[in-house]
């Protein structure tokens, strides 16, 4: 069976050569100048690349067209796919990296130990050493060379909230393919930090993206939830971390019509949200006790 979403046969082969990668790097480095002076001509590009044979150069440049290089008005410009290849290499995706760890100001719901933020190779994880991983998020090595782990954790949580927002609209945050939620989802792997809640599963039909997610976390970017937290002087990442996180403050009840009712209680305010499996919010009620 062939997948509806496949990789063009030539895409990988086109990159398996040093000269071709060098062409992409030179074009990427010309990006800023291109706004003013346009892209590079054949001869200008040839002069920049370390090769002494015009026909060899022409052959390699030809292999990069149309997937990675486009010729327009006798100039060569890189495609977005080419720029992404350069970004991946420059960000250290393929480099050796060190490991950094720090404890953060949020504790494990099972043992009260501080969660450990760990950046290793291309992944940032938040975990309890005894009770499992609360979150894993791709962060390339270059990030760790110029920012603190605390800053990276904050950014990862904000990005994750934006990802959930994208998923609730049916779009995979990684490849932009069709993505869906389904719940309840029973099989949460042992290495994950288990919360006493009902889980959903987020999955993309086109790429590898698939993971279990506590149902309350589907609401991390919902305006009513944002407003509730802001009203209590809490920054957006608080919805995902620590004792005031959504998963800790919420009760989840599965309704007969397939929806999930999430009741969030933060201090004197209670928010009741009915969630459809698509991630759409059906009812949203705010009850304040004062
Ligand atoms: Zn623990
Ligand atoms: Zn995807």
């Amino acid at each position: 069976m062939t997948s509806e979403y496949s990789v063009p046969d030539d895409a990988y082969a086109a990159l398996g050569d040093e000269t071709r990668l060098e062409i992409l790097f030179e074009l990427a480095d010309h990006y800023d100048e291109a706004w003013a002076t346009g892209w590079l001509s054949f001869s200008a590009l040839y002069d920049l690349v370390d090769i002494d044979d015009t026909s060899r150069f022409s052959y390699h440049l030809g292999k990069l067209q149309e997937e990675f290089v486009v010729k327009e008005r006798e100039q060569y410009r890189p495609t977005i796919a080419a720029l992404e290849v350069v970004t991946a290499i420059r960000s250290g995706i393929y480099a050796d990296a060190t490991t950094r760890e720090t404890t953060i100001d949020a504790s494990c719901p099972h043992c009260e130990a501080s969660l450990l933020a760990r950046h290793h190779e291309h992944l940032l994880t938040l975990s309890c050493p005894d009770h499992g991983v609360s979150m894993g998020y791709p962060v390339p090595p270059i990030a760790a060379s110029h920012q603190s782990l605390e800053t990276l954790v904050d950014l990862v949580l904000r990005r994750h909230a934006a990802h959930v927002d994208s998923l609730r609209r049916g779009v995979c945050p990684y490849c932009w393919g069709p993505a869906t939620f389904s719940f309840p989802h029973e099989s949460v792997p042992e290495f994950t930090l288990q919360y006493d809640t009902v889980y959903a599963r987020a999955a993309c039909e086109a790429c590898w993206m698939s993971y279990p997610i506590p149902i309350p976390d589907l609401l991390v970017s919902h305006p009513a939830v944002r407003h509730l937290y802001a009203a209590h002087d809490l920054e957006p990442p608080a919805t995902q971390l620590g004792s005031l996180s959504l998963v800790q403050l919420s009760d989840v009840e599965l309704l007969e019509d397939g929806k999930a009712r999430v009741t969030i209680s933060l201090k004197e305010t209670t928010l009741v949200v009915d969630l459809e499996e698509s991630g759409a919010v059906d009812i949203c009620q705010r009850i304040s006790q004062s």
Side-chain angles (χ1 to χ4, degrees):
M1 200 175 87
T2 54
S3 166
E4 185 185 345
Y5 306 99
S6 60
V7 178
D9 288 344
D10 298 339
Y12 296 130
L15 291 173
D17 179 274
E18 217 167 298
T19 301
R20 293 175 208 166
L21 286 177
E22 202 187 332
I23 290 171
L24 297 189
F25 274 104
E26 291 299 345
L27 287 172
D29 286 341
H30 190 73
Y31 194 91
D32 189 33
E33 244 174 277
W35 292 102
T37 61
W39 286 102
L40 295 164
S41 66
F42 183 91
S43 60
L45 187 54
Y46 175 67
D47 286 345
L48 289 169
V49 174
D50 186 23
I51 191 167
D52 285 333
D53 180 337
T54 328
S55 60
R56 289 293 299 163
F57 175 73
S58 180
Y59 167 76
H60 288 306
L61 190 55
K63 285 289 180 189
L64 290 169
Q65 289 171 224
E66 301 291 317
E67 196 74 40
F68 298 104
V69 176
V70 175
K71 185 182 180 186
E72 281 168 352
R73 296 188 297 276
E74 298 307 309
Q75 294 181 335
Y76 295 86
R77 70 164 169 83
T79 62
I80 297 291
L83 294 172
E84 284 183 348
V85 169
V86 173
T87 303
I89 295 171
R90 290 259 166 91
S91 65
I93 292 281
Y94 304 110
D96 293 333
T98 52
T99 301
R100 292 201 306 171
E101 289 181 345
T102 189
T103 52
I104 56 170
D105 187 20
S107 55
C108 170
H110 303 297
C111 69
E112 301 296 312
S114 292
L115 293 181
L116 185 72
R118 183 172 196 257
H119 184 243
H120 177 63
E121 291 179 344
H122 58 275
L123 195 65
L124 185 102
T125 52
L126 303 178
S127 63
C128 166
D130 292 328
H131 295 103
V133 178
S134 159
M135 172 179 266
Y137 193 93
V139 174
I142 194 174
S145 69
H146 68 102
Q147 284 299 341
S148 70
L149 267 180
E150 288 80 1
T151 299
L152 298 183
V153 169
D154 187 72
L155 287 171
V156 158
L157 294 173
R158 288 170 194 268
R159 282 197 181 204
H160 180 249
H163 281 194
V164 173
D165 193 39
S166 180
L167 287 166
R168 283 182 46 231
R169 290 155 203 258
V171 177
C172 171
Y174 294 98
C175 78
W176 294 69
T180 51
F181 289 115
S182 53
F183 57 70
H185 179 63
E186 309 292 348
S187 57
V188 179
E190 257 178 44
F191 67 85
T192 64
L193 188 64
Q194 314 269 331
Y195 289 97
D196 182 19
T197 187
V198 186
Y199 279 79
R201 173 174 172 265
C204 173
E205 289 172 29
C207 77
W208 50 269
M209 198 281 299
S210 158
Y211 60 90
I213 176 170
I215 286 181
D217 282 356
L218 268 58
L219 295 167
V220 288
S221 54
H222 192 273
V225 170
R226 290 254 159 135
H227 187 263
L228 174 69
Y229 276 70
H232 290 83
D233 289 325
L234 295 166
E235 293 283 318
T239 57
Q240 298 173 66
L241 211 57
S243 57
L244 296 178
S245 62
L246 268 178
V247 70
Q248 302 275 60
L249 297 182
S250 303
D251 282 325
V252 178
E253 181 192 350
L254 294 173
L255 306 178
E256 280 180 3
D257 56 6
K259 292 172 189 158
R261 175 163 294 166
V262 183
T263 305
I264 308 157
S265 303
L266 180 53
K267 306 215 168 123
E268 73 287 358
T269 312
T270 300
L271 200 61
V272 183
V273 179
D274 283 6
L275 255 174
E276 292 178 26
E277 211 167 5
S278 66
V281 168
D282 199 39
I283 302 175
C284 198
Q285 251 183 315
R286 192 186 168 92
I287 308 155
S288 281
Q289 298 165 345
S290 55

